[in-house]
């Protein structure tokens, strides 16, 4: 059994820090390696979910169970189906109160690998070290902005009705490598899909003022559910984190296509990007308009693509 421990002191109340680690649904915004979390069961203290994370440049997925103790501010976790090369993986999050606005966050990991192979143990130790330090650093940064956290978090969606089968709309959204030929705001896409349904992509997009942004993303595709979830792993300066989802809802007339965005603003970048007099409200409006304009354009082109295919048939 290999053991690793990581600790960081946070200038924020212990309850705030515990709240960030307790809510797995927000982890893709708060925890850098976390790409997507599908919560399967939750009764307030027991939590079961599937998650996808980046580890040493790869995308890994597993099912986990957690037991939460809000009084002790402790979360014990154990992977049900560890991702290779781990045979077992678990640990504990704990938050200690150091004062009214100071706390200490500790993350303990334990893991085993088959036959204790040195190469596998080294790979897993490197991934655990890199991801755990990134997690603690981002949780510390987020918690220390707790007074304005509600304003820095933003979720919104755009939707369009399409008179076509959902398979045609999904095909357009899935085929992201074809977007530069169809979408004026997308100038370049570099796509890798070594594992079916897990897409790694780098994309250049244009904003309304003509500036170019390069983003990198991981997309997890669920074709039978007509869903594609994603997280940007390299974001524009204004965004500390950005996740999203394309989802389709069929009905008797066609399908409702929805684009949903969730972002965590980087407060210290607002003046740098939008000017010295800009505030959080202006940053929220700017991001809502920029992301919404591009996603609405993508939905509109997906609708046109699907409806024109139906007419051709």
């Amino acid at each position: 059994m290999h053991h690793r421990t990581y600790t960081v002191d946070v200038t924020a109340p212990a309850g705030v820090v515990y709240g960030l680690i307790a809510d797995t649904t927000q982890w893709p915004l708060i925890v850098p390696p976390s790409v997507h979390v599908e919560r399967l069961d939750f009764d307030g203290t027991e939590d079961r979910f599937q998650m996808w994370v980046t580890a040493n440049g790869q995308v890994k997925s597993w099912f986990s169970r957690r037991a939460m103790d809000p009084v002790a501010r402790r979360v014990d976790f154990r992977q049900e189906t560890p991702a290779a090369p781990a045979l077992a993986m678990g640990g504990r999050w704990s938050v200690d109160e150091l004062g009214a606005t100071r706390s200490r966050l500790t993350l303990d990991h334990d893991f085993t690998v088959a036959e204790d192979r040195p190469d596998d143990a080294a790979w897993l130790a490197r991934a655990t070290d890199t991801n755990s330090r990134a997690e603690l650093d981002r949780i510390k940064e987020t918690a220390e902005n707790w007074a304005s956290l509600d304003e820095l978090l933003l979720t919104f969606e755009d939707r369009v009705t399409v008179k076509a089968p959902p398979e045609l709309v999904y095909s357009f959204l899935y085929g992201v490598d074809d977007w530069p030929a169809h979408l004026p705001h997308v100038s370049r896409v570099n796509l890798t899909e070594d594992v079916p349904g897990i897409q790694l992509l780098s994309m250049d997009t244009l904003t309304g003022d003509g500036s170019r942004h390069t983003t990198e993303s991981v997309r997890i595709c669920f074709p039978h559910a007509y869903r594609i979830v994603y997280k940007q792993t390299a974001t524009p300066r204004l965004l500390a984190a950005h996740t999203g989802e394309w989802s389709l809802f069929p009905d008797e007339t066609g399908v409702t296509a929805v684009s949903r965005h969730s972002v965590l603003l980087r407060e210290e970048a607002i003046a740098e990007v939008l000017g010295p007099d800009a505030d959080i409200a202006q940053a929220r409006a700017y991001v809502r308009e920029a992301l919404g304009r591009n996603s609405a354009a993508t939905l509109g082109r997906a609708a046109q693509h699907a409806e024109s295919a139906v007419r051709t048939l």
Side-chain angles (χ1 to χ4, degrees):
M1 182 73 72
H2 299 262
H3 297 272
R4 324 287 286 189
T5 296
Y6 314 89
T7 301
V8 66
D9 287 349
V10 186
T11 307
V16 170
V17 179
Y18 178 80
L20 293 179
I21 63 174
D23 186 2
T24 55
T25 64
Q26 291 294 318
W27 275 16
L29 285 176
I30 305 301
V31 178
S34 177
V35 175
H36 179 63
V37 174
E38 286 276 319
R39 177 174 270 172
L40 305 174
D41 296 296
F42 180 61
D43 64 5
T45 57
E46 297 286 335
D47 191 12
R48 182 174 181 265
F49 54 91
Q50 184 178 7
M51 68 185 307
W52 289 257
V53 305
T54 56
N56 292 343
Q58 301 177 27
V59 178
K60 298 285 189 177
S61 178
W62 57 76
F63 291 88
S64 284
R65 285 189 179 274
R66 304 195 313 161
M68 290 177 282
D69 185 340
V71 176
R73 299 192 182 97
R74 184 175 64 235
V75 178
D76 293 311
F77 60 90
R78 183 66 51 185
Q79 293 181 10
E80 291 183 348
T81 53
L87 280 183
M89 171 71 80
R92 171 180 290 178
W93 293 91
S94 54
V95 184
D96 296 313
E97 184 174 333
L98 302 180
T101 58
R102 294 178 59 248
S103 54
R104 177 167 295 148
L105 175 62
T106 302
L107 172 58
D108 294 300
H109 270 292
D110 60 70
F111 62 86
T112 62
V113 297
E115 300 176 3
D116 204 22
R117 298 186 185 102
D119 288 348
D120 288 347
W123 189 96
L124 203 52
R126 184 168 70 254
T128 303
D129 286 347
T130 301
N131 285 6
S132 297
R133 290 180 179 127
E135 291 166 7
L136 265 65
D137 287 346
R138 177 59 65 81
I139 291 171
K140 171 183 169 67
E141 176 186 343
T142 304
E144 290 180 347
N145 285 321
W146 65 277
S148 55
L149 188 56
D150 286 346
E151 295 178 275
L152 296 174
L153 289 168
L154 173 64
T155 296
F156 60 91
E157 63 180 37
D158 296 284
R159 57 181 58 211
V160 64
T161 300
V162 188
K163 295 181 179 180
E167 292 83 1
L168 294 176
V169 184
Y170 183 86
S171 175
F172 182 88
L173 298 174
Y174 176 80
V176 65
D177 49 341
D178 293 329
W179 285 7
H182 299 289
L183 297 171
H185 68 272
V186 178
S187 59
R188 181 192 64 87
V189 170
N190 183 19
L191 175 68
T192 302
E193 190 172 353
D194 295 332
V195 178
I198 298 180
Q199 299 179 331
L200 309 180
L201 66 111
S202 174
M203 178 186 296
D204 289 345
T205 59
L206 302 175
T207 62
D209 60 8
S211 59
R212 186 186 306 273
H213 291 294
T214 298
T215 59
E216 295 178 2
S217 303
V218 178
R219 304 208 316 171
I220 312 297
C221 305
F222 304 94
H224 298 296
Y226 303 124
R227 295 174 64 214
I228 299 173
V229 299
Y230 62 89
K231 177 177 179 175
Q232 287 188 353
T233 53
T235 59
R237 173 66 178 148
L238 190 57
L239 305 184
H242 175 203
T243 65
E245 177 173 344
W246 303 98
S247 51
L248 307 179
F249 301 93
D251 56 33
E252 64 277 4
T253 63
V255 62
T256 299
V258 180
S259 170
R260 182 179 177 88
H261 296 274
S262 294
V263 301
L264 175 63
L265 298 174
R266 183 176 283 116
E267 187 170 9
E268 67 273 16
I270 293 176
E272 172 188 335
V273 175
L274 300 180
D277 297 326
D279 57 17
I280 294 178
Q282 289 171 285
R284 289 171 62 91
Y286 176 87
V287 169
R288 173 65 180 93
E289 194 280 330
L291 294 180
R293 180 181 62 249
N294 287 350
S295 60
T298 302
L299 289 175
R301 186 64 186 90
Q304 182 183 358
H305 168 83
E307 291 173 348
S308 63
V310 170
R311 286 194 297 270
T312 300
L313 294 174

